[in-house]
Amino acid sequence: PVNPSVRSHIATDAHGIPAVVAHHLERLVENQSLVPSAEGYALRSVDDFRTTSTVADAAKQRVADLLRTLEPSQRAPLLAAAVVGDSVHRTIWDQACDDGRVRETWEIPITRVLLLDRLVRLGVAVENEDNWRFTDRAFRQAILAIAAPGELAHAQVAVADALSASPNEGLHAIRIARLLWEGGQAQRALAAYHRAVVDPRPGVRVRHGDVTAVCDEALELADDNGIDTGDYRLEALVNQGLQATVDSTDSTPRAHAVNDAAERWGWDSAAASAHAVLAGRLATTTHTAQFEVHLAKARAALARVDPTRMTTDAETQLVRALHLKRRNQEAFDMLGPILEPVSYTHLR
């Protein structure tokens, strides 16, 4: 038992949150900050108790204490695990730690087995048969927050490569692309995004929510110095992401953002898609003049698109917008080129 003074310190800071109580007690024991007294264990020094106000703060303090006991080169396996996720698959973790860049940049004198054993004893991790997990997400987030940018970038690329080499690569397609981008590999990230969303290989599974986020991420990629904004894959990503959100409430601001980027980078296909989406959003309103403006701009941009270089769903969106505006003959006339490979005379 601890004495009333220690209990008071912890109770005041924990606000009734058991995880914070546990973090404080574990940290005090590991740092040998408690000494026997007549009323139970007491603080060796009042300075040994540093107050925190949230679980995240307590976890960050706990992780900082742990990292201080490791050599700089011993942090690699821990950081790689944090990048892998809340649940750490042993095979992915091993491959990420064995990556050539990791071995060259970080020598690992402490084995992963010993490190994991220590994490389990400290209550930071629990083991399962094929993986292990952090006992609280706050621990993982604290590790990532404390990591130096260079260390984190190396770990992100190593984990992306490990996921790419796994049998379930298709399930991690978007995550691989994001890790490569966050790790400073813009060109590789663009290629990975394109393979995942625009030209997926067999076995690739991408959630709808991930596709919608790709539009915003591709726009951010365009501002990366390592990316050629004339690369057709970037514009194709923007198009695909925009089309995935056409019926969502945030399609209007996203379409405006795409149009701004299209004007900046000369993306005719993306401009056509953006104006077509905006026309569709206005088709059922009384803002007819604005509808006509976007309709005209979409058609003008479409006329500039080289079909051998870029495909677009802008035509489909324009047909939809015209139909919603009850301009069915115009919509039908646009369907001609779209359905030309298929006989559509039976539609008349």
Side-chain angles (χ1 to χ4, degrees):
V2 294
N3 71 9
S5 175
V6 176
R7 288 200 297 271
S8 176
H9 274 298
I10 293 177
T12 300
D13 189 61
H15 302 293
I17 303 173
V20 177
V21 175
H23 292 332
H24 281 315
L25 288 174
E26 290 169 359
R27 180 175 56 80
L28 291 172
V29 170
E30 186 191 33
N31 290 348
Q32 298 181 336
S33 299
L34 297 175
V35 294
S37 73
E39 298 180 299
Y41 283 94
L43 289 173
R44 185 182 299 277
S45 166
V46 175
D47 293 335
D48 284 335
F49 189 89
R50 298 186 295 276
T51 60
T52 58
S53 56
T54 66
V55 173
D57 288 339
K60 197 166 185 177
Q61 208 174 78
R62 186 78 179 81
V63 167
D65 292 339
L66 170 64
L67 292 181
R68 271 194 292 272
T69 67
L70 299 175
E71 294 296 325
S73 60
Q74 296 174 336
R75 297 155 63 131
L78 187 60
L79 180 54
V83 172
V84 170
D86 295 331
S87 181
V88 183
H89 195 283
R90 293 174 190 272
T91 301
I92 299 299
W93 188 39
D94 288 344
Q95 289 178 344
C97 290
D98 288 340
D99 179 88
R101 278 181 306 278
V102 174
R103 286 200 304 270
E104 180 181 348
T105 306
W106 304 321
E107 296 176 358
I108 309 177
I110 183 170
T111 67
R112 291 186 286 280
V113 173
L114 292 177
L115 175 62
L116 181 55
D117 180 67
R118 184 174 186 184
L119 295 177
V120 170
R121 284 189 288 106
L122 293 175
V124 173
V126 291
E127 291 189 81
N128 297 314
E129 184 175 347
D130 295 324
N131 59 22
W132 60 271
R133 63 178 176 82
F134 290 99
T135 53
D136 194 306
R137 178 172 293 182
F139 283 128
R140 174 181 171 244
Q141 292 171 335
I143 294 167
L144 295 173
I146 292 172
E151 287 180 324
L152 182 57
H154 278 295
Q156 287 164 330
V157 174
V159 172
D161 289 342
L163 290 172
S164 296
S166 73
N168 296 320
E169 175 197 4
L171 301 178
H172 305 293
I174 292 292
R175 180 138 194 266
I176 290 168
R178 287 174 180 155
L179 285 170
L180 288 171
W181 181 28
E182 291 167 356
Q185 302 287 317
Q187 283 291 344
R188 291 185 62 196
L190 176 57
Y193 272 122
H194 191 266
R195 287 195 303 269
V197 177
V198 180
D199 189 22
R201 292 166 292 176
V204 171
R205 299 288 184 270
V206 179
R207 295 177 304 174
H208 179 76
D210 282 329
V211 178
T212 60
V214 162
C215 182
D216 303 329
E217 292 166 6
L219 291 176
E220 292 183 39
L221 259 177
D223 288 323
D224 192 296
N225 291 331
I227 290 292
D228 174 12
T229 55
D231 190 321
Y232 79 95
R233 295 174 300 178
L234 190 59
E235 187 176 359
L237 272 177
V238 171
N239 267 331
Q240 195 83 11
L242 179 60
Q243 296 305 322
T245 63
V246 68
D247 291 320
S248 64
T249 55
D250 59 354
S251 63
T252 296
R254 183 170 281 114
H256 280 297
V258 169
N259 183 56
D260 290 343
E263 291 182 355
R264 181 179 177 188
W265 304 118
W267 294 343
D268 292 326
S269 177
S273 293
H275 286 297
V277 169
L278 291 170
R281 300 296 291 183
L282 292 166
T284 55
T285 72
T286 58
H287 302 296
T288 303
Q290 293 180 43
F291 169 85
E292 295 293 348
V293 168
H294 288 298
L295 181 66
K297 287 186 175 182
R299 283 173 165 164
L302 266 175
R304 298 191 299 269
V305 174
D306 179 358
T308 65
R309 175 181 174 273
M310 179 71 63
T311 59
T312 176
D313 289 327
E315 297 99 330
T316 305
Q317 295 304 322
L318 282 179
V319 168
R320 179 173 179 269
L322 288 166
H323 173 68
L324 290 172
K325 202 66 174 172
R326 300 185 181 277
R327 289 160 59 167
N328 293 329
Q329 185 58 52
E330 288 180 71
F332 187 81
D333 291 342
M334 282 203 71
L335 278 173
I338 299 174
L339 300 178
E340 192 168 318
V342 182
S343 173
Y344 64 94
T345 55
H346 67 281
L347 295 177
R348 291 189 181 277

